[in-house]
């Protein structure tokens, strides 16, 4: 056996640091100190007699040799993980970790999740809500639901389309009445709310669709980190946000919000489910995927 395989432990540290471009983030994923990561990689570099990383600002960037090694190590670890999963397949029953954005979790998934639990009482769901894309193959997440078009969450990760829908301006009925909203350009006189979760669809694009010229330097903005926060501000009468019927439809039905203009921006929002087809929890993931698609179908028929 090649004597260089004694560096396998160091290669694990190297793969995480290279994937995340950060020793501190690697330390967090590996549940060790940053000093431990730095020491392991330094030992690996000394053993291989070459530099694998170079610092650029706050990031650790791969050297040419580091990039070559990373590509091969990633493939190798992928084969190892696939092999381990093949001999350690888990039963249908058991925990399933799901990651999605805060707004999708609170406005779409959580109000419906009891239905999945009724169908599969042996599959408890652990929900994580983050705006950052999760690590699936080497992390603790089994399924991720994400916005966006052409989003990739890693090599070999399976992406399953859920649904897409147009985006509309949404505001409180009180604001719409006070401004007597009749023309799209009137929204330029309101606070326009946008945030991290809506970076793929912008006010500029919507105004272009509505045939309105938007001068950004003359517009009043409010930036929020989640769509939930935008909805809270809008329901209080503080401006207008861009949103979808799947996330705001119940508020519209209850009269808490209105769509002042029926001008839907497309492409708007697309939701996709991401999972590892080689996961030992593949049967569990398939059950959750089937339920999600059935629930999406029921929602679309009811619209």
């Amino acid at each position: 056996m090649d004597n260089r395989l004694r560096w396998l432990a160091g290669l694990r540290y190297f793969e995480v640091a290279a994937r995340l471009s950060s020793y501190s983030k690697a330390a967090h994923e590996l549940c060790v100190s940053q000093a431990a990561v730095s020491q392991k990689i330094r030992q690996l570099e000394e053993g291989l007699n070459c530099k694998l990383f170079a610092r650029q600002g706050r990031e650790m960037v791969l050297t040419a040799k580091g990039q070559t090694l990373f590509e091969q190590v990633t493939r190798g670890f992928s084969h190892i993980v696939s092999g381990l999963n093949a001999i350690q397949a888990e039963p249908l029953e058991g925990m399933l970790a799901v990651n999605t954005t805060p707004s999708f979790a609170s406005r779409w998934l959580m109000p419906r999740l009891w239905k999945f639990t009724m169908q599969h009482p042996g599959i408890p769901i652990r929900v994580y809500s983050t705006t950052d894309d999760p690590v699936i193959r080497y992390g603790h997440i089994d399924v991720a639901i994400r916005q966006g078009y052409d989003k990739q969450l890693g090599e070999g990760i399976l992406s399953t389309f859920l649904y897409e829908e147009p985006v509309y301006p949404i505001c409180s009925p009180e604001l719409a009445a006070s401004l007597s909203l009749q023309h799209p350009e009137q929204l330029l006189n309101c606070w326009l709310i946008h945030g991290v979760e809506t970076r793929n669809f912008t006010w500029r694009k919507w105004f272009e669709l509505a045939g309105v010229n938007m001068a950004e330097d003359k517009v009043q903005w409010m930036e929020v980190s989640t769509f939930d926060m935008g909805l809270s501000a809008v329901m209080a009468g503080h401006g207008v946000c861009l949103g979808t019927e799947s996330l705001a439809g119940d508020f519209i039905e209850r009269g808490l919000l209105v769509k002042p203009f029926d001008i839907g921006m497309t492409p708007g929002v697309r939701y996709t489910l991401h999972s590892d087809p080689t996961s030992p929890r593949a049967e569990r993931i398939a059950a959750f995927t089937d339920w999600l698609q059935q629930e999406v179908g029921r929602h679309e028929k009811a619209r």
Side-chain angles (χ1 to χ4, degrees):
M1 182 177 290
D2 195 316
N3 189 45
R4 288 172 296 181
L5 289 179
R6 69 184 186 278
W7 301 113
L8 274 175
L11 289 173
R12 176 67 179 122
Y13 282 65
F14 164 76
E15 186 277 331
V16 179
R19 171 161 44 82
L20 301 177
S21 300
S22 168
Y23 284 7
S24 60
K25 291 180 181 178
H28 179 74
E29 181 172 318
L30 293 164
C31 299
V32 298
S33 68
Q34 182 175 338
V37 174
S38 180
Q39 181 183 33
K40 279 285 187 182
I41 292 177
R42 185 171 61 252
Q43 291 172 348
L44 181 63
E45 289 178 328
E46 290 173 355
L48 299 178
N49 195 30
C50 67
K51 290 291 291 181
L52 300 173
F53 289 96
R55 181 173 291 280
Q56 279 189 8
R58 295 184 177 181
E59 289 193 341
M60 299 302 294
V61 180
L62 289 169
T63 63
K65 290 185 177 180
Q67 182 63 42
T68 299
L69 181 62
F70 176 62
E71 292 171 0
Q72 299 302 321
V73 166
T74 299
R75 292 194 188 98
F77 281 173
S78 179
H79 287 305
I80 292 172
V81 169
S82 296
L84 291 171
N85 289 344
I87 64 172
Q88 294 181 313
E90 297 183 16
L92 177 63
E93 293 76 19
M95 182 69 69
L96 187 72
V98 177
N99 175 280
T100 188
T101 59
S103 296
F104 188 86
S106 63
R107 300 292 306 134
W108 198 98
L109 182 61
M110 297 309 295
R112 295 172 169 84
L113 198 54
W114 65 272
K115 299 178 185 179
F116 178 80
T117 302
M118 293 294 290
Q119 289 184 25
H120 299 281
I123 307 179
I125 302 294
R126 180 177 293 147
V127 179
Y128 299 88
S129 62
T130 63
T131 54
D132 295 328
D133 291 339
V135 175
I136 294 180
R137 176 152 290 175
Y138 302 116
H140 60 276
I141 298 299
D142 299 308
V143 170
I145 303 169
R146 277 292 179 272
Q147 284 184 22
Y149 292 76
D150 302 321
K151 179 177 283 293
Q152 301 293 325
L153 294 187
E155 185 177 348
I157 298 300
L158 176 66
S159 298
T160 304
F161 169 77
L162 289 179
Y163 72 92
E164 60 182 316
E165 60 182 336
V167 175
Y168 301 89
I170 298 172
C171 68
S172 70
E174 293 79 10
L175 180 66
S178 67
L179 296 177
S180 300
L181 290 177
Q182 297 180 356
H183 306 287
E185 59 265 25
Q186 289 177 274
L187 294 182
L188 294 173
N189 299 320
C190 304
W191 285 87
L192 300 181
I193 299 173
H194 67 103
V196 173
E197 291 185 75
T198 59
R199 63 165 65 99
N200 294 320
F201 44 91
T202 66
W203 276 109
R204 172 169 291 282
K205 291 179 181 178
W206 185 84
F207 278 117
E208 286 177 357
L209 177 66
V212 176
N213 180 37
M214 186 186 77
E216 291 196 28
D217 59 333
K218 296 181 180 179
V219 172
Q220 294 177 304
W221 295 102
M222 173 185 282
E223 185 167 315
V224 295
S225 59
T226 69
F227 180 58
D228 269 358
M229 294 176 63
L231 283 181
S232 296
V234 164
M235 281 192 286
H238 193 80
V240 188
C241 70
L242 290 170
T244 65
E245 291 184 347
S246 69
L247 299 187
D250 61 330
F251 288 149
I252 294 173
E253 291 172 3
R254 289 153 56 190
L256 300 173
L257 294 172
V258 295
K259 289 193 307 181
F261 303 105
D262 197 26
I263 303 174
M265 180 169 61
T266 55
V269 174
R270 169 179 289 185
Y271 283 100
T272 304
L273 182 145
H274 306 271
S275 62
D276 180 4
T278 67
S279 170
R281 291 169 289 282
E283 189 177 0
R284 214 172 294 166
I285 292 169
F288 185 72
T289 302
D290 289 344
W291 171 79
L292 271 177
Q293 292 177 322
Q294 292 170 15
E295 197 62 32
V296 167
R298 281 192 287 266
H299 173 74
E300 291 184 344
K301 286 181 181 178
R303 286 168 59 181

